[in-house]
Short mmCIF file of all heavy atoms in Angstrom, two decimals:
data_model
loop_
_atom_site.label_atom_id
_atom_site.label_comp_id
_atom_site.label_asym_id
_atom_site.label_seq_id
_atom_site.Cartn_x
_atom_site.Cartn_y
_atom_site.Cartn_z
N LEU C 247 -46.52 -76.65 -64.50
CA LEU C 247 -47.03 -75.80 -63.40
C LEU C 247 -47.44 -74.36 -63.84
O LEU C 247 -47.86 -73.57 -63.10
CB LEU C 247 -45.92 -75.65 -62.37
CG LEU C 247 -45.74 -76.92 -61.49
CD1 LEU C 247 -44.55 -76.84 -60.61
CD2 LEU C 247 -46.95 -77.53 -60.77
N THR C 248 -47.21 -74.14 -65.22
CA THR C 248 -47.60 -72.90 -65.66
C THR C 248 -48.90 -72.20 -65.18
O THR C 248 -48.92 -71.09 -64.83
CB THR C 248 -47.52 -72.84 -67.28
OG1 THR C 248 -46.23 -72.97 -67.68
CG2 THR C 248 -48.10 -71.48 -67.77
N PRO C 249 -50.00 -72.99 -65.21
CA PRO C 249 -51.28 -72.38 -64.76
C PRO C 249 -51.22 -71.89 -63.31
O PRO C 249 -51.83 -70.87 -63.04
CB PRO C 249 -52.35 -73.63 -64.90
CG PRO C 249 -51.69 -74.44 -65.88
CD PRO C 249 -50.17 -74.39 -65.76
N ILE C 250 -50.54 -72.51 -62.56
CA ILE C 250 -50.37 -72.14 -61.11
C ILE C 250 -49.34 -70.91 -61.06
O ILE C 250 -49.63 -69.86 -60.27
CB ILE C 250 -49.84 -73.23 -60.16
CG1 ILE C 250 -50.95 -74.28 -60.20
CG2 ILE C 250 -49.39 -72.63 -58.78
CD1 ILE C 250 -50.52 -75.65 -59.62
N LEU C 251 -48.26 -70.93 -61.66
CA LEU C 251 -47.16 -70.07 -61.68
C LEU C 251 -47.49 -68.67 -62.13
O LEU C 251 -46.88 -67.70 -61.71
CB LEU C 251 -45.85 -70.48 -62.28
CG LEU C 251 -45.28 -71.84 -61.66
CD1 LEU C 251 -44.08 -72.32 -62.50
CD2 LEU C 251 -44.85 -71.59 -60.30
N VAL C 252 -48.49 -68.62 -63.06
CA VAL C 252 -48.88 -67.33 -63.67
C VAL C 252 -50.19 -66.75 -63.03
O VAL C 252 -50.73 -65.78 -63.47
CB VAL C 252 -48.96 -67.31 -65.21
CG1 VAL C 252 -47.65 -67.67 -65.87
CG2 VAL C 252 -49.99 -68.23 -65.66
N LEU C 253 -50.70 -67.51 -62.02
CA LEU C 253 -51.97 -67.04 -61.38
C LEU C 253 -51.92 -65.54 -60.91
O LEU C 253 -52.86 -64.83 -61.19
CB LEU C 253 -52.34 -67.93 -60.11
CG LEU C 253 -53.07 -69.22 -60.53
CD1 LEU C 253 -53.27 -70.06 -59.22
CD2 LEU C 253 -54.38 -68.82 -61.19
N PRO C 254 -50.82 -65.12 -60.29
CA PRO C 254 -50.89 -63.63 -59.88
C PRO C 254 -50.92 -62.68 -61.17
O PRO C 254 -51.72 -61.82 -60.99
CB PRO C 254 -49.53 -63.44 -59.14
CG PRO C 254 -49.15 -64.78 -58.70
CD PRO C 254 -49.65 -65.71 -59.83
N GLN C 255 -50.29 -63.05 -62.24
CA GLN C 255 -50.43 -62.06 -63.44
C GLN C 255 -51.71 -62.41 -64.20
O GLN C 255 -52.20 -61.46 -64.61
CB GLN C 255 -49.13 -62.32 -64.31
CG GLN C 255 -47.81 -62.14 -63.73
CD GLN C 255 -47.25 -63.12 -62.76
OE1 GLN C 255 -47.72 -64.17 -62.63
NE2 GLN C 255 -46.08 -62.72 -62.23
N LEU C 256 -52.28 -63.50 -64.01
CA LEU C 256 -53.51 -63.66 -64.70
C LEU C 256 -54.60 -62.84 -63.89
O LEU C 256 -55.39 -62.30 -64.53
CB LEU C 256 -53.90 -65.27 -64.72
CG LEU C 256 -55.16 -65.61 -65.32
CD1 LEU C 256 -55.09 -65.28 -66.85
CD2 LEU C 256 -55.44 -67.22 -65.10
N PHE C 257 -54.60 -63.05 -62.52
CA PHE C 257 -55.55 -62.32 -61.83
C PHE C 257 -55.42 -60.75 -62.11
O PHE C 257 -56.40 -59.96 -62.30
CB PHE C 257 -55.44 -62.52 -60.31
CG PHE C 257 -56.47 -61.82 -59.41
CD1 PHE C 257 -57.70 -62.60 -59.24
CD2 PHE C 257 -56.32 -60.75 -58.96
CE1 PHE C 257 -58.62 -61.84 -58.41
CE2 PHE C 257 -57.18 -60.07 -58.07
CZ PHE C 257 -58.36 -60.73 -57.81
N ALA C 258 -54.21 -60.26 -62.07
CA ALA C 258 -53.76 -58.83 -62.35
C ALA C 258 -54.31 -58.49 -63.62
O ALA C 258 -54.85 -57.40 -63.85
CB ALA C 258 -52.27 -58.64 -62.12
N GLY C 259 -54.12 -59.40 -64.57
CA GLY C 259 -54.47 -59.06 -66.02
C GLY C 259 -56.07 -58.78 -66.16
O GLY C 259 -56.45 -57.81 -66.85
N PHE C 260 -56.71 -59.62 -65.39
CA PHE C 260 -58.25 -59.28 -65.31
C PHE C 260 -58.60 -58.06 -64.67
O PHE C 260 -59.48 -57.25 -64.94
CB PHE C 260 -58.97 -60.47 -64.64
CG PHE C 260 -59.04 -61.75 -65.47
CD1 PHE C 260 -58.51 -63.06 -65.07
CD2 PHE C 260 -59.46 -61.62 -66.82
CE1 PHE C 260 -58.72 -64.08 -65.85
CE2 PHE C 260 -59.63 -62.78 -67.65
CZ PHE C 260 -59.13 -64.01 -67.00
N ALA C 261 -57.94 -57.72 -63.46
CA ALA C 261 -58.08 -56.58 -62.79
C ALA C 261 -57.75 -55.23 -63.58
O ALA C 261 -58.40 -54.32 -63.70
CB ALA C 261 -57.15 -56.55 -61.45
N LEU C 262 -56.62 -55.47 -64.32
CA LEU C 262 -56.04 -54.32 -65.14
C LEU C 262 -56.99 -54.06 -66.24
O LEU C 262 -57.43 -52.94 -66.68
CB LEU C 262 -54.78 -54.66 -65.69
CG LEU C 262 -53.58 -54.62 -64.60
CD1 LEU C 262 -52.31 -55.22 -65.06
CD2 LEU C 262 -53.35 -53.29 -64.18
N GLY C 263 -57.41 -55.14 -66.90
CA GLY C 263 -58.53 -55.13 -68.07
C GLY C 263 -59.82 -54.46 -67.55
O GLY C 263 -60.41 -53.58 -68.22
N PHE C 264 -60.30 -54.80 -66.32
CA PHE C 264 -61.50 -54.15 -65.82
C PHE C 264 -61.31 -52.70 -65.68
O PHE C 264 -62.16 -51.96 -66.11
CB PHE C 264 -61.80 -54.93 -64.42
CG PHE C 264 -62.84 -54.18 -63.58
CD1 PHE C 264 -64.14 -54.52 -63.98
CD2 PHE C 264 -62.50 -53.45 -62.56
CE1 PHE C 264 -65.15 -53.88 -63.11
CE2 PHE C 264 -63.51 -52.77 -61.66
CZ PHE C 264 -64.84 -53.10 -62.06
N LEU C 265 -60.28 -52.19 -65.14
CA LEU C 265 -59.97 -50.73 -64.84
C LEU C 265 -59.81 -50.19 -66.16
O LEU C 265 -60.38 -49.01 -66.43
CB LEU C 265 -58.74 -50.58 -64.11
CG LEU C 265 -59.00 -50.52 -62.49
CD1 LEU C 265 -57.73 -50.13 -61.74
CD2 LEU C 265 -60.11 -49.53 -62.08
N ARG C 266 -59.11 -50.75 -67.22
CA ARG C 266 -58.99 -50.16 -68.48
C ARG C 266 -60.29 -49.79 -69.18
O ARG C 266 -60.44 -48.87 -69.71
CB ARG C 266 -57.99 -51.15 -69.30
CG ARG C 266 -57.53 -50.46 -70.63
CD ARG C 266 -58.53 -50.49 -71.67
NE ARG C 266 -58.02 -50.01 -72.95
CZ ARG C 266 -58.24 -48.79 -73.38
NH1 ARG C 266 -58.93 -47.81 -72.64
NH2 ARG C 266 -57.77 -48.34 -74.54
N ILE C 267 -61.17 -50.85 -69.14
CA ILE C 267 -62.50 -50.50 -69.82
C ILE C 267 -63.36 -49.60 -69.01
O ILE C 267 -64.00 -48.81 -69.65
CB ILE C 267 -63.23 -51.95 -69.94
CG1 ILE C 267 -62.36 -52.93 -70.96
CG2 ILE C 267 -64.53 -51.77 -70.52
CD1 ILE C 267 -61.93 -52.23 -72.19
N ARG C 268 -63.42 -49.78 -67.76
CA ARG C 268 -64.35 -49.04 -66.84
C ARG C 268 -63.96 -47.42 -66.76
O ARG C 268 -64.65 -46.69 -66.81
CB ARG C 268 -64.51 -49.69 -65.53
CG ARG C 268 -65.00 -51.04 -65.53
CD ARG C 268 -66.37 -51.23 -66.01
NE ARG C 268 -67.28 -50.78 -65.04
CZ ARG C 268 -68.56 -50.41 -65.26
NH1 ARG C 268 -69.02 -50.43 -66.49
NH2 ARG C 268 -69.30 -49.92 -64.38
N PHE C 269 -62.55 -47.25 -66.68
CA PHE C 269 -62.01 -45.88 -66.39
C PHE C 269 -61.06 -45.36 -67.39
O PHE C 269 -60.92 -44.26 -67.51
CB PHE C 269 -61.32 -46.00 -65.03
CG PHE C 269 -62.21 -46.27 -63.77
CD1 PHE C 269 -61.60 -46.59 -62.73
CD2 PHE C 269 -63.56 -46.17 -63.87
CE1 PHE C 269 -62.40 -46.96 -61.56
CE2 PHE C 269 -64.22 -46.46 -62.70
CZ PHE C 269 -63.70 -46.93 -61.64
N GLY C 270 -60.60 -46.17 -68.30
CA GLY C 270 -59.61 -45.64 -69.36
C GLY C 270 -58.17 -46.33 -69.01
O GLY C 270 -57.87 -46.81 -67.96
N LEU C 271 -57.37 -46.26 -70.04
CA LEU C 271 -56.03 -46.87 -70.08
C LEU C 271 -55.22 -46.25 -68.95
O LEU C 271 -54.51 -47.03 -68.32
CB LEU C 271 -55.42 -46.53 -71.51
CG LEU C 271 -53.95 -47.30 -71.58
CD1 LEU C 271 -54.08 -48.82 -71.56
CD2 LEU C 271 -53.31 -46.83 -73.01
N ARG C 272 -55.35 -44.96 -68.74
CA ARG C 272 -54.24 -44.51 -67.59
C ARG C 272 -54.54 -45.07 -66.31
O ARG C 272 -53.60 -45.20 -65.53
CB ARG C 272 -54.45 -42.99 -67.56
CG ARG C 272 -55.67 -42.42 -66.79
CD ARG C 272 -55.78 -40.86 -66.78
NE ARG C 272 -56.64 -40.60 -67.86
CZ ARG C 272 -57.14 -39.39 -67.85
NH1 ARG C 272 -56.66 -38.43 -67.26
NH2 ARG C 272 -58.07 -39.21 -68.90
N TRP C 273 -55.81 -45.55 -65.94
CA TRP C 273 -56.03 -46.13 -64.68
C TRP C 273 -55.49 -47.65 -64.60
O TRP C 273 -55.15 -48.05 -63.65
CB TRP C 273 -57.55 -46.20 -64.51
CG TRP C 273 -58.06 -44.84 -64.16
CD1 TRP C 273 -58.54 -43.89 -65.11
CD2 TRP C 273 -57.95 -44.06 -62.92
NE1 TRP C 273 -58.89 -42.69 -64.56
CE2 TRP C 273 -58.55 -42.71 -63.17
CE3 TRP C 273 -57.67 -44.49 -61.71
CZ2 TRP C 273 -58.67 -41.86 -62.23
CZ3 TRP C 273 -57.86 -43.43 -60.70
CH2 TRP C 273 -58.30 -42.14 -60.99
N SER C 274 -55.45 -48.29 -65.70
CA SER C 274 -54.83 -49.60 -65.74
C SER C 274 -53.35 -49.42 -65.58
O SER C 274 -52.60 -50.19 -64.89
CB SER C 274 -55.17 -50.45 -67.00
OG SER C 274 -54.68 -49.94 -68.10
N VAL C 275 -52.78 -48.40 -66.31
CA VAL C 275 -51.33 -48.09 -66.09
C VAL C 275 -50.92 -47.75 -64.60
O VAL C 275 -50.09 -48.15 -64.01
CB VAL C 275 -50.91 -46.99 -67.01
CG1 VAL C 275 -49.46 -46.54 -66.78
CG2 VAL C 275 -50.98 -47.40 -68.48
N PHE C 276 -51.89 -46.88 -64.02
CA PHE C 276 -51.70 -46.53 -62.64
C PHE C 276 -51.64 -47.79 -61.71
O PHE C 276 -50.73 -47.97 -60.82
CB PHE C 276 -52.79 -45.70 -62.09
CG PHE C 276 -52.71 -44.21 -62.65
CD1 PHE C 276 -53.85 -43.48 -62.60
CD2 PHE C 276 -51.61 -43.65 -63.04
CE1 PHE C 276 -53.91 -42.24 -63.12
CE2 PHE C 276 -51.59 -42.29 -63.56
CZ PHE C 276 -52.86 -41.58 -63.63
N LEU C 277 -52.77 -48.72 -61.89
CA LEU C 277 -52.68 -49.88 -61.08
C LEU C 277 -51.45 -50.74 -61.35
O LEU C 277 -50.88 -51.30 -60.40
CB LEU C 277 -53.99 -50.69 -61.28
CG LEU C 277 -54.15 -52.02 -60.58
CD1 LEU C 277 -54.06 -51.88 -59.13
CD2 LEU C 277 -55.49 -52.71 -60.99
N HIS C 278 -51.14 -50.89 -62.52
CA HIS C 278 -49.92 -51.71 -62.93
C HIS C 278 -48.58 -51.18 -62.21
O HIS C 278 -47.81 -52.00 -61.66
CB HIS C 278 -49.76 -51.83 -64.44
CG HIS C 278 -49.11 -52.99 -64.92
ND1 HIS C 278 -49.40 -53.63 -66.07
CD2 HIS C 278 -47.89 -53.73 -64.32
CE1 HIS C 278 -48.43 -54.64 -66.29
NE2 HIS C 278 -47.60 -54.72 -65.19
N CYS C 279 -48.58 -50.05 -62.33
CA CYS C 279 -47.33 -49.25 -61.72
C CYS C 279 -47.31 -49.48 -60.15
O CYS C 279 -46.33 -49.84 -59.46
CB CYS C 279 -47.27 -47.79 -62.01
SG CYS C 279 -46.93 -47.34 -63.73
N ILE C 280 -48.43 -49.30 -59.53
CA ILE C 280 -48.56 -49.51 -58.13
C ILE C 280 -48.32 -50.91 -57.65
O ILE C 280 -47.61 -51.04 -56.81
CB ILE C 280 -49.95 -49.08 -57.57
CG1 ILE C 280 -50.20 -47.46 -57.78
CG2 ILE C 280 -50.30 -49.46 -56.14
CD1 ILE C 280 -51.66 -47.00 -57.57
N TYR C 281 -48.87 -51.86 -58.43
CA TYR C 281 -48.67 -53.26 -58.25
C TYR C 281 -47.33 -53.65 -58.36
O TYR C 281 -46.64 -54.19 -57.42
CB TYR C 281 -49.47 -54.01 -59.19
CG TYR C 281 -49.53 -55.48 -59.12
CD1 TYR C 281 -50.42 -56.25 -58.50
CD2 TYR C 281 -48.43 -56.23 -59.83
CE1 TYR C 281 -50.38 -57.63 -58.43
CE2 TYR C 281 -48.44 -57.63 -59.79
CZ TYR C 281 -49.40 -58.35 -59.09
OH TYR C 281 -49.30 -59.61 -59.02
#
């Protein structure tokens, strides 16, 4: 069930990567902390 069980973190990983590239590392850290 791994593909299903890690879906939230996989989605978050894409969102964090998006912010990291578009705005910088501190923004992915902010989102990760808030999450």
Side-chain angles (χ1 to χ4, degrees):
L247 294 172
T248 295
I250 295 168
L251 297 176
V252 300
L253 275 175
Q255 292 85 3
L256 185 61
F257 186 88
F260 287 127
L262 293 164
F264 171 77
L265 273 187
R266 191 276 183 263
I267 298 306
R268 303 293 287 159
F269 297 160
L271 185 62
R272 81 182 96 168
W273 290 92
S274 65
V275 171
F276 291 156
L277 177 58
H278 200 151
C279 290
I280 293 165
Y281 180 96

